[in-house]
Amino acid sequence: YSRYGIAHTNWAMANGAKLLTKHKEIGIEGSLAEVPVFIVGNGPSLDKLIPMLKEERDKVIVISCGTALQALHQNSITPDFHAEIESNRATFDWAIRVGDPEYLKNISLISCNGVHPDTISLYKDVFLCLKEGDASTEIANRIFEKQPLPELRFAYPTVSNFAINFALECGFVQIYLLGIDLGFIDEEHHHSRFSGYYKDDGSELYDYVRQSNISLIVRGNFRASVATKYEFNLSRIMIESAIADFVSAIVYNLNDGAAINGCLPLSVENVLITSSEEEKEKALSWLIQKAHSPIDGTNYSNSLKEKFNAEKLIEDVRTFQKLLERKTCTKKDVKLLIEQQRDFMVDLFKNNRPMFMLYYN
């Protein structure tokens, strides 16, 4: 994962990707900060929210998340941005199931810095963010050490977490969650029926509930309780942490799923959008032209080769191998060897040779 993330980041920088450079302290300001951002997940509640989304589409910034893109395509809705976070090629495989290359070329991709090059190639352009804790982020920060960049602290475990954190980091103060249910009221309706989880006849592609261990019960947004799974519950907790860190923002939960502390439950009938199409376009322009900055790809690649070349990594691996060859006969010997291995990795990391720890830890 670390190796692919670093390699993909290098490719993206070399091929003209722009990077989020605006911190929340200097984000979008004034009335433009109040332009609503609709973050669209692929939960079952999306199906009932589609008509409202169509009606307000031109006055809000729309970010689709992961497999929600298929549902939007089925309903002739083109988001402003599509979000992905995985570094593997699954994001490409899901997107091409839309079956409409021209549709994808009208959408900008936002992602973490390790997204797969094939995924990037599908979209009009790409805007990347550094995600806290990733190996590729550690390397990028060491290359850009004179230019501290914002890191998204709450961008996991799901792509919806990333999109929410992104919108908040940019300074938007009205966030609407659509199709981000994080829970289930109907085991047979676990995602939008317009998405790739269902066949053309409406039946399930596979038994999602049986494979997902939906055994947790949490408080519901519009009802007493809903069922959920571990990953979605963690996602809910991380959204709550993100909202707590951006106190000036109001986040609306429109979904008949899990309650999210800090989010205001809002029924679709009570959605009131007051922004204009002109304000939306200005906010979109700020995001594209000012929030993100182009990177000198050649300089990035050269710095990567100079500071973190393969020869040094191979040298470190061979040194570590010598530690592994030491014989141990007692628990004391084993404890000492573990301590020496840990010290070896930490010392390399501190002395600007982090690759070994990032790849092998």
Side-chain angles (χ1 to χ4, degrees), residues 32-104:
L32 295 186
E34 297 180 5
V35 171
V37 179
F38 280 20
I39 299 177
V40 183
N42 194 29
S45 293
L46 178 60
D47 294 349
K48 293 183 178 180
L49 297 172
I50 288 288
M52 184 275 296
L53 175 55
K54 280 187 172 182
E55 183 177 345
E56 306 294 355
R57 167 70 189 88
D58 294 333
K59 296 184 289 184
V60 302
I61 292 173
V62 178
I63 303 176
S64 66
C65 298
T67 56
L69 190 61
Q70 293 169 301
L72 296 187
H73 178 259
Q74 287 288 324
N75 287 277
S76 302
I77 299 172
T78 304
D80 299 295
F81 298 99
H82 179 63
E84 297 284 5
I85 58 169
E86 299 295 340
S87 61
N88 61 48
R89 201 170 180 270
T91 53
F92 174 90
D93 296 333
W94 271 102
I96 60 171
R97 293 182 66 183
V98 167
D100 188 348
E102 292 184 7
Y103 172 77
L104 299 179

Side-chain angles (χ1 to χ4, degrees), residues 153-281:
R153 299 173 51 218
F154 310 101
Y156 65 92
T158 73
V159 64
S160 297
N161 292 90
F162 163 75
I164 293 167
N165 199 169
F166 169 80
L168 292 171
E169 183 70 36
C170 290
F172 290 97
V173 296
Q174 290 198 49
I175 314 295
Y176 291 74
L177 308 185
L178 290 73
I180 303 177
D181 293 50
L182 305 179
F184 310 94
I185 63 172
D186 180 352
E187 291 186 353
E188 294 184 0
H189 191 192
H190 41 77
H191 288 84
S192 168
R193 294 193 185 276
F194 295 107
S195 71
Y197 284 90
Y198 295 89
K199 301 176 184 178
D200 292 340
D201 62 4
S203 62
E204 294 179 276
L205 189 65
Y206 65 94
D207 193 336
Y208 177 86
V209 170
R210 178 173 292 181
Q211 296 187 26
S212 299
N213 190 24
I214 299 172
S215 58
L216 297 175
I217 302 298
V218 296
R219 182 167 59 92
N221 193 42
F222 293 131
R223 60 185 68 222
S225 62
V226 296
T228 191
K229 60 178 184 175
Y230 173 81
E231 181 188 22
F232 284 176
N233 198 43
L234 176 59
S235 174
R236 175 186 62 80
I237 293 170
M238 293 308 300
I239 292 173
E240 292 173 352
S241 297
I243 294 171
D245 201 53
F246 293 86
V247 294
S248 61
I250 301 175
V251 183
Y252 298 100
N253 185 353
L254 278 65
N255 309 288
D256 193 2
I260 303 172
N261 291 333
C263 283
L264 296 179
L266 181 67
S267 61
V268 66
E269 298 83 12
N270 292 324
V271 171
L272 177 63
I273 303 300
T274 59
S275 56
S276 66
E277 293 184 28
E278 182 182 5
E279 288 172 323
K280 177 264 177 79
E281 289 302 321

Side-chain angles (χ1 to χ4, degrees), residues 10 139-140 142-144 296-309 352:
N10 186 34
I139 296 302
R142 289 180 182 242
I143 292 175
F144 299 124
D296 185 339
T298 301
N299 180 61
Y300 186 92
S301 296
N302 290 340
S303 296
L304 182 66
K305 292 177 183 178
E306 178 184 345
K307 293 184 177 183
F308 314 109
N309 63 66
N352 209 28

